[in-house]
Amino acid sequence: MSRVVFIAVAGFWLTMNVLLWQTELAPAKNSGAVPVAIVWEKILTAADDSSLTVFKDGKLVGALSYADAGR
């Protein structure tokens, strides 16, 4: 059983390394399809209706919702 686990882990590791190297060293044919500035603009200006809960030392300190952020 330990040999099977070792082979599976080694196979996964090898596959991930091959994919990583392929991505890092491949010609940049798809690189930059969307400019970084546009991505950052979308991230920073996107409407987000989620809330943020703040804890300190396991105690609730506060919360902020999207509606509160405009104040």
Side-chain angles (χ1 to χ4, degrees):
M1 184 65 178
S2 62
R3 286 185 185 185
V4 172
V5 171
F6 175 77
I7 290 171
V9 170
F12 177 79
W13 182 82
L14 183 63
T15 302
M16 290 297 116
N17 275 296
V18 168
L19 293 173
L20 175 65
W21 281 99
Q22 181 182 6
T23 302
E24 290 292 325
L25 299 177
K29 60 182 177 186
N30 292 331
S31 178
V34 178
V36 174
I38 291 176
V39 174
W40 274 111
E41 179 185 349
K42 297 290 184 184
I43 290 172
L44 296 174
T45 61
D48 184 7
D49 59 355
S50 62
S51 61
L52 173 67
T53 307
V54 181
F55 290 93
K56 182 175 180 181
D57 297 325
K59 294 183 180 180
L60 179 64
V61 175
L64 177 71
S65 68
Y66 180 71
D68 297 332
R71 296 184 195 172

